[in-house]
Amino acid sequence: MTKRWFWALFLLLGLVFAQNRGGTLTVALQTEPTVFDPSQAAGADIARMVYDNVLQGLVKRNAKGEIVPALAERWKVSASSLTYTFTLRKGVKFHDGTPFDAADVVAKFNRAKDPDTKRSGHIRPEIYRDIASVTAPDASTVTFTLKQPNQDFLFVLSLPESTIGPRERKLEDQKVKPVGTGPFRFVAWERGVGVRLERNEAYYIPNLPYLDRVNFRFLGDGEAQLAALRAGDIDVIAYSMLPENAQILARDARFKVFSGSGTAEAVASMNNSRAPFNDVRVRRAMQYAVNKDELIQSAMLGYGTKIGSMRSPGEACYEDLSGFYAYDPNRARQLLAEAGFNAQNPLRFTFTLAAEFPYERRIGEALAAQLNRLGVVQVNIQVVDFGTWIQRAFVAADYQMTIIGHVEANDIGRYANPGYYWRYNSPQVQQLYTTYLRSNDPKKSCDALKAMQRKLAEDAVSIWTMSLPALGAYRANVMNWPGASLSPGILLAEVYLAR
């Protein structure tokens, strides 16, 4: 009897597993990257496709945002917090068949911390500047020695830029066809259409992934996404679905709508180094003039969470400053009058929007309308393509106000960089961020980060309009979809299609 039950259970589990395995999933993404190696170019949709699906690092962030093992099985940190020793998985191979070992890790991070970006091809060597050395005592062990303690070091290793490819692979080849160790192989990129991934049969976690292949399709238009999902041409609208389409699909039993928590802040940035926003009175007036509750309702149909600084509620050490500036148009007018602006001499400026991002465009347009209602502000909206936005606003800081979604977790440290595109230079904020990074006392570190959030709010550096939702939808037969957006990637290894 016991044996019969055992074999019945074994066969049942085998049947369930067989039903879970196989099939193709087609996912719509908003923008088409120009390269697919996140160490060589920035872009959220690069990471959404390749992070932990194709390319992996020593550690990763799971769907809950937790830092967990990836290519490293485990690690230990010295009492001084200056030495991190990682034990690597054995028997792992890259998609091209070459074995992965400690030499690949050493080569990766020596390249990553090289300040000569033309030579290294790595876009952000500054995030690795605390690495004094990286060594390999043996093929399965890697030791990082830091110049000083860094509270965020494991987080740095979990970034998309910290994923690892074969040490001998040419950077130009990795740009267009990345080779990694993940559950899927990067097979093809059809420009203007999409990307195809296929199961890595040699993946080191047994029985994963479930899917045979994943197709990513580039569909920037919200109505085109909706039509494709309804027609069965795609299975998932991954992110940035139009709120009105979410309401339509929520009434259709064939689909499931998700609105997961995320780390994306829609930031209306003011150029702190350029008139009129080099005057803190003007920046504070903008805060009082914006009704964030109305923005969330009118632009996002209620999807979104009000925030008051550069931190989302799901992140550690979050300080709720959503009510720091209560909506008060009279106070806004008073501050503008103190700065020399009135109905006869209105505040005029250009608000630059990137054409490709529907959330930011609609939030930006609604925000501009609120400011224009004051009667002493005249906002001129300028719409540019994202490439132009990158060059003008992000690189050259040639703008007055702009809005963009900052999707990366734990990115508040950008405000400690006076060269970043909002051109904010506060020694106090820089010191608070240093205390956060360098302290070995978790409470002291967290207190410093909370104080930093408050100081940013006091200085009204940016208008943090809301924490954006991970809003999307999928067909009802898609199982284990990671609805939250607390990982840089869409983690697809355990997604399967019900039959």
Side-chain angles (χ1 to χ4, degrees):
M1 188 68 159
T2 303
K3 287 184 178 180
R4 282 203 301 269
W5 276 110
F6 172 80
W7 285 110
L9 179 61
F10 179 82
L11 291 172
L12 178 62
L13 289 174
L15 179 61
V16 170
F17 178 76
Q19 289 175 332
N20 290 348
R21 193 170 176 85
T24 298
L25 185 77
T26 302
V27 181
L29 287 182
Q30 191 174 19
T31 58
E32 178 176 19
T34 56
V35 305
F36 295 89
D37 178 0
S39 76
Q40 299 188 64
D45 279 341
I46 301 174
R48 283 170 177 157
M49 284 185 277
V50 304
Y51 183 88
D52 199 52
N53 293 322
V54 177
L55 299 172
Q56 298 180 309
L58 294 172
V59 297
K60 67 179 181 181
R61 269 174 281 151
N62 64 16
K64 297 178 181 179
E66 301 164 332
I67 296 176
V68 297
L71 290 174
E73 288 183 326
R74 60 188 180 275
W75 60 87
K76 61 182 179 180
V77 185
S78 67
S80 66
S81 297
L82 293 177
T83 303
Y84 287 69
T85 302
F86 292 85
T87 301
L88 307 183
R89 295 180 186 270
K90 296 179 180 178
V92 176
K93 291 186 177 182
F94 289 106
H95 299 148
D96 62 2
T98 59
F100 161 77
D101 62 24
D104 296 293
V105 182
V106 172
K108 158 69 186 186
F109 288 99
N110 280 333
R111 170 186 158 237
K113 67 188 183 73
D114 184 347
D116 187 340
T117 57
K118 289 185 178 179
R119 177 174 57 206
S120 72
H122 213 286
I123 56 173
R124 288 206 291 167
E126 67 274 9
I127 64 177
Y128 305 99
R129 62 179 174 267
D130 283 338
I131 299 175
S133 65
V134 52
T135 57
D138 57 60
S140 299
T141 308
V142 175
T143 299
F144 291 84
T145 303
L146 304 187
K147 300 172 186 176
Q148 54 190 339
N150 186 329
Q151 184 77 218
D152 276 348
F153 186 61
L154 284 175
F155 178 81
V156 167
L157 295 183
S158 77
L159 291 170
E161 294 99 312
S162 295
T163 52
I164 300 165
R167 60 185 180 272
E168 300 296 335
R169 187 163 174 78
K170 294 179 180 178
L171 294 178
E172 288 303 312
D173 293 340
Q174 196 73 347
K175 276 185 177 181
V176 296
K177 192 175 182 181
V179 168
T181 56
F184 294 95
R185 298 180 298 110
F186 190 105
V187 175
W189 171 25
E190 186 178 354
R191 294 175 190 266
V193 178
V195 158
R196 186 169 83 252
L197 310 182
E198 292 184 358
R199 178 194 288 129
N200 173 15
E201 298 289 356
Y203 190 46
Y204 54 82
I205 298 180
N207 301 324
L208 291 181
Y210 296 134
L211 295 165
D212 289 332
R213 63 191 63 83
V214 177
N215 296 326
F216 288 101
R217 282 191 55 192
F218 306 125
L219 289 173
D221 180 75
E223 296 308 319
Q225 291 178 350
L226 178 64
L229 185 65
R230 284 173 146 177
D233 296 332
I234 62 173
D235 301 298
V236 183
I237 300 174
Y239 294 95
S240 301
M241 185 169 68
L242 296 178
E244 56 270 28
N245 290 346
Q247 294 187 344
I248 291 170
L249 291 173
R251 298 190 293 266
D252 191 329
R254 296 175 299 163
F255 308 105
K256 294 182 180 180
V257 172
F258 61 90
S259 178
S261 55
T263 59
E265 297 88 13
V267 182
S269 303
M270 295 173 279
N271 190 332
N272 283 228
S273 68
R274 177 179 294 188
F277 300 117
N278 55 354
D279 188 330
V280 70
R281 295 170 299 183
V282 174
R283 298 199 304 270
R284 287 173 178 160
M286 298 298 99
Q287 307 283 350
Y288 285 115
V290 173
N291 186 333
K292 295 179 183 178
D293 292 315
E294 181 184 275
L295 282 183
I296 292 171
Q297 290 301 321
S298 64
M300 296 295 294
L301 301 184
Y303 294 105
T305 303
K306 185 166 65 172
I307 55 174
S309 194
M310 191 64 168
R311 206 77 174 165
S312 289
E315 296 183 272
C317 304
Y318 170 71
E319 180 85 341
D320 186 357
L321 298 167
S322 58
F324 195 89
Y325 292 98
Y327 175 57
D328 190 343
N330 289 328
R331 179 61 177 147
R333 294 186 191 96
Q334 180 185 350
L335 285 167
L336 288 174
E338 292 175 11
F341 299 102
N342 51 45
Q344 290 71 43
N345 179 39
L347 171 68
R348 297 183 176 92
F349 65 88
T350 298
F351 193 7
T352 304
L353 309 179
E356 290 87 341
F357 300 103
Y359 287 2
E360 289 81 352
R361 279 197 65 176
R362 60 173 56 195
I363 295 168
E365 289 165 357
L367 188 151
Q370 288 185 354
L371 296 177
N372 283 330
R373 285 205 306 254
L374 281 176
V376 294
V377 176
Q378 293 180 8
V379 183
N380 172 49
I381 291 179
Q382 177 190 56
V383 179
V384 299
D385 65 85
F386 186 52
T388 300
W389 185 92
I390 287 287
Q391 292 304 314
R392 287 186 188 171
F394 187 74
V395 175
D398 181 16
Y399 75 99
Q400 290 177 293
M401 181 184 283
T402 188
I403 186 168
I404 206 76
H406 284 261
V407 301
E408 186 178 295
N410 200 28
D411 52 0
I412 191 172
R414 305 287 174 81
Y415 285 93
N417 176 8
Y420 203 63
Y421 78 99
W422 33 64
R423 295 297 196 261
Y424 170 66
N425 189 355
S426 168
Q428 183 179 346
V429 162
Q430 292 157 25
Q431 182 56 53
L432 287 168
Y433 189 61
T434 297
T435 301
Y436 160 72
L437 279 182
R438 307 307 175 199
S439 175
N440 279 334
D441 180 344
K443 183 180 185 305
K444 182 179 179 181
S445 178
C446 198
D447 287 346
L449 198 62
K450 289 183 176 182
M452 181 178 172
Q453 292 169 64
R454 289 191 294 273
K455 176 61 176 171
L456 293 175
E458 290 166 4
D459 287 351
V461 185
S462 306
I463 304 170
W464 300 277
T465 64
M466 66 188 75
S467 179
L468 293 168
L471 184 60
Y474 51 84
R475 304 185 71 79
N477 69 325
V478 177
M479 301 294 162
N480 281 353
W481 181 260
S485 183
L486 297 175
S487 171
I490 303 173
L491 308 181
L492 294 172
E494 298 184 32
V495 174
Y496 65 93
L497 301 175
R499 287 173 171 77

